Amino acid sequence: MTQFLQQLINGLSIGSIYALMAVGYSLVYSIMNFSNFAHGSVIMLGAYFGFFSLTTLGMPFGIAFFIAACGAGFVAVTLERLAYKPLRDRRAPFLYFIITAMGASILIDNGVIATIGPTPKTFPPELLPSYLQSGSIQIGTLGIGRVDIAMFVITAVCLVALILFIDFTKMGKAIQATAYNMKASALMGINPNFVIILVFAIGGALAGVAGVLYGVKYQVFPQMSSITLKSFIAAVFGGLGSLPGALLGSLLLALIETFVSGYISTQLRDIFAFFILIAMLVIRPAGIMGKSAEDKA
Amino acid sequence: MLSVHELHVSYGGIKALRGVSMEVNQGEIVTIIGANGAGKSTMLNAITGFLKPAKGEVIFNGHKLGRNPAAIVKLGICHVPEGRLVFANLSVQDNLMLGAYLRKDRKKMAEDLEKVFVLFPRLKERIKQQAGTLSGGEQQMLAMGRALMTDGELVLMDEPSLGLAPLLVKTVFQIIKEIRDLGKTILLVEQNAQKALEVADRAYVLEQGRVVKEGAACDIQSDPAIRAAYLGSKSVAGGA
């Protein structure tokens, strides 16, 4: 029983990071109808922004966190302006967007390896606030990592704020309208470019938060960006383009992963994850709560 | 109010409009009739900036219109698109308020919302309902109400009667007249030429991207060539 609860907590904690990533991924998909495979690189850069603000610049952790979120949001918007907007202006087929995203991702990852280097960086524990220190809170035989609790709480706060923004503000409604039909929303006077910049900024900022949390729990390293694949699986699993779907998909994926690692084998974890992706695409391409069964490339 | 000069629009080699000119004056209902593929919807999409004209220009109240639909809405043109395109995932209320997206005049917005509810009492009854669950006729009313909430002076309507039951078709044309009575100017694209000519002041007949006839709606209606081409079978199908 203890082991089960322990795995459940691990699963929820890693699931909350997947959710932060998958939500940004899904938001962009809902407006642009393509999978932004460069999202992982934004997460990775966010982690580095947080790390260097904390260590080299000597900022307090809260400020470093904020810089990471803003920096990652800025990178995401810059990527949109430099890489995707020219394609949109030429009405390029969606395949071009995916190839461009992959290219941008390779460029950023290798840029980081060439300049900062491939060695993983560890957040120095003495610079972290107490709630992110290692160590755990004991409840009977169950040990809950403080990092895990903090990750879960920070994610919950971010996602609740996002949902309130999307459902209850005028800009949030504009995002939903544009996701539903870009032509109709333009007829309301909603500028599609504005909405696109907004979703990249929000998705990027959440990616920065996810990057720092991931870096604190594990380490910061250039290949971190490959965890995009996990957020992609989570988003497809839950239903691309749907925020509740991305949330649900992330938690389910992470729970399945931790239970497979815990009870079967760590090596089989990713095989299960990708099996889920393929099975979902075959059985129910729209995902658990997806908006349509169109091409999900 | 609106003048279109020698507009040419092509889609990848196909010339959809070949030098169309037209005028819409304040307070008029002007209709564009023509067969499928004559260029009627192309005309509206070029006015609201969704299509790039190869040649020609569109002037609205002294402003030359560009290719930014959001800016064109701001100048005072609203467009009820073909197929209604209501935001199915949002409530009726949200749909209407999105119409007022660019507006800041809260008091006038509330008044306009009341006017929309007077025009379409059904929308008031269904205010909390998701737009996707409305019937086709209700969605058409919502699309019109949403356009009115932009407070544009010129309302472009693309096939508002398409796919509606005959009784609703009658209602829609009645409402078009009521919208004009609210002080709006209307440019109406319709396949139901008979009904469109009954409500319109003036009409343009498009054939293969050209204006082949224009004039007062009653003259067009009694023109033998037009009767043979557009009103013969249509008047039976749509005249119920």
Side-chain angles (χ1 to χ4, degrees):
Chain A
M1 187 62 192
T2 309
Q3 199 202 350
F4 177 81
L5 287 176
Q6 198 78 59
Q7 297 295 355
L8 187 70
I9 289 160
N10 287 343
L12 289 177
S13 136
I14 193 72
S16 59
I17 290 199
Y18 287 170
L20 277 180
M21 300 190 292
V23 155
Y25 203 86
S26 225
L27 259 183
V28 168
Y29 183 89
S30 72
I31 304 286
M32 314 258 296
N33 282 303
F34 86 100
S35 296
N36 179 17
F37 284 115
H39 194 55
S41 300
V42 177
I43 294 168
M44 184 261 297
L45 282 180
Y48 275 103
F49 289 146
F51 178 79
F52 286 117
S53 306
L54 188 71
T55 56
T56 314
L57 299 178
M59 301 281 185
F61 184 76
I63 310 252
F65 214 152
F66 183 71
I67 292 176
C70 294
F74 180 76
V75 169
V77 172
T78 309
L79 193 66
E80 177 336 268
R81 295 275 96 183
L82 292 182
Y84 305 141
K85 183 163 189 298
L87 294 176
R88 268 190 290 126
D89 290 345
R90 277 182 288 142
R91 294 165 195 271
F94 80 108
L95 190 59
Y96 288 30
F97 286 84
I98 295 173
I99 294 169
T100 305
M102 288 175 169
S105 179
I106 293 169
L107 183 84
I108 295 172
D109 295 359
N110 286 286
V112 170
I113 293 173
T115 52
I116 303 171
T119 329
K121 311 261 184 209
T122 308
F123 274 90
E126 66 277 10
L127 295 179
L128 293 175
S130 59
Y131 57 86
L132 286 173
Q133 305 274 354
S134 53
S136 54
I137 294 163
Q138 287 293 328
I139 303 171
T141 49
L142 192 67
I144 307 174
R146 274 194 262 185
V147 183
D148 294 330
I149 297 174
M151 274 170 33
F152 194 77
V153 170
I154 293 171
T155 301
V157 169
C158 289
L159 294 183
V160 167
L162 177 68
I163 289 168
L164 292 178
F165 175 77
I166 299 269
D167 279 343
F168 294 103
T169 67
K170 193 167 149 182
M171 271 190 228
K173 297 265 165 72
I175 292 176
Q176 292 188 59
T178 308
Y180 186 74
N181 189 304
M182 204 176 269
K183 177 178 180 177
S185 72
L187 289 176
M188 305 297 103
I190 299 167
N191 185 340
N193 275 317
F194 168 74
V195 172
I196 288 169
I197 289 176
L198 191 65
V199 296
F200 272 94
I202 295 172
L206 294 176
V209 172
V212 171
L213 292 178
Y214 191 89
V216 168
K217 187 170 162 77
Y218 304 103
Q219 279 182 314
V220 182
F221 50 97
Q223 291 77 14
M224 258 172 89
S225 67
S226 64
I227 47 175
T228 320
L229 284 175
K230 290 295 172 58
S231 60
F232 176 64
I233 298 172
V236 170
F237 192 34
L240 266 177
S242 150
L243 290 190
L247 251 170
L248 188 66
S250 301
L251 291 177
L252 285 177
L253 176 71
L255 286 173
I256 290 168
E257 279 190 0
T258 47
F259 281 110
V260 168
S261 311
Y263 288 104
I264 305 174
S265 143
T266 317
Q267 272 99 25
L268 287 180
R269 190 188 66 189
D270 287 359
I271 294 180
F272 263 82
F274 283 93
F275 176 75
I276 288 174
L277 173 66
I278 294 165
M280 201 66 189
L281 287 173
V282 171
I283 300 163
R284 196 177 149 79
I288 304 171
M289 316 176 95
K291 70 166 182 173
S292 69
E294 289 160 36
D295 209 341
K296 289 287 194 286
Chain B
M1 179 179 249
L2 181 83
S3 34
V4 178
H5 300 291
E6 283 296 310
L7 204 61
H8 290 256
V9 176
S10 305
Y11 297 107
I14 298 158
K15 289 181 179 149
L17 294 182
R18 314 165 182 229
V20 174
S21 297
M22 59 180 63
E23 290 285 331
V24 180
N25 303 313
Q26 177 122 33
E28 278 187 315
I29 298 179
V30 175
T31 183
I32 305 175
I33 58 174
N36 253 335
K40 306 186 302 290
S41 294
T42 304
M43 185 76 196
L44 296 191
N45 285 324
I47 293 171
T48 33
F50 288 102
L51 294 170
K52 185 187 176 188
K55 258 193 281 177
E57 57 180 12
V58 183
I59 310 278
F60 176 68
N61 283 343
H63 299 273
K64 187 174 185 299
L65 300 185
R67 280 187 65 206
N68 177 352
I72 291 168
V73 174
K74 196 161 196 175
L75 285 174
I77 299 184
C78 51
H79 184 161
V80 184
E82 184 174 0
R84 345 202 205 284
L85 305 183
V86 296
F87 303 115
N89 51 337
L90 295 173
S91 69
V92 167
Q93 162 123 350
D94 286 343
N95 269 270
L96 292 172
M97 291 321 285
L98 278 166
Y101 180 78
L102 290 175
R103 296 173 62 184
K104 304 256 188 302
D105 49 343
R106 289 180 176 277
K107 203 171 153 217
K108 176 105 197 315
M109 269 158 65
E111 287 170 23
D112 285 355
L113 191 62
E114 275 315 305
K115 281 186 198 160
V116 168
F117 287 147
V118 170
L119 213 49
F120 310 108
R122 279 303 265 283
L123 295 183
K124 191 166 190 177
E125 289 165 26
R126 292 170 194 258
I127 187 153
K128 297 283 176 215
Q129 208 169 314
Q130 275 213 330
T133 65
L134 299 178
S135 70
E138 289 164 347
Q139 288 191 14
Q140 185 60 52
M141 290 171 190
L142 181 57
M144 286 180 169
R146 188 179 65 173
L148 291 178
M149 286 304 291
T150 67
D151 198 28
E153 313 165 59
L154 175 63
V155 186
L156 310 183
M157 293 188 191
D158 199 348
E159 306 279 6
S161 75
L162 197 69
L164 298 182
L167 200 64
L168 276 169
V169 170
K170 212 171 165 186
T171 314
V172 162
F173 282 99
Q174 181 59 39
I175 284 165
I176 291 171
K177 280 195 270 183
E178 288 172 24
I179 290 175
R180 190 252 305 268
D181 295 340
L182 290 174
K184 308 284 181 190
T185 306
I186 294 166
L187 179 57
L188 170 68
V189 156
E190 258 297 333
Q191 284 197 28
N192 191 335
Q194 172 82 38
K195 287 275 178 210
L197 290 170
E198 280 170 20
V199 296
D201 302 305
R202 286 190 308 113
Y204 291 86
V205 183
L206 274 190
E207 253 171 44
Q208 294 178 337
R210 284 199 185 86
V211 175
V212 292
K213 195 145 279 173
E214 60 177 280
C218 49
D219 296 343
I220 300 272
Q221 221 174 351
S222 52
D223 185 297
I226 302 293
R227 290 195 75 85
Y230 300 104
L231 303 177
S233 57
K234 275 278 163 56
S235 62
V236 178

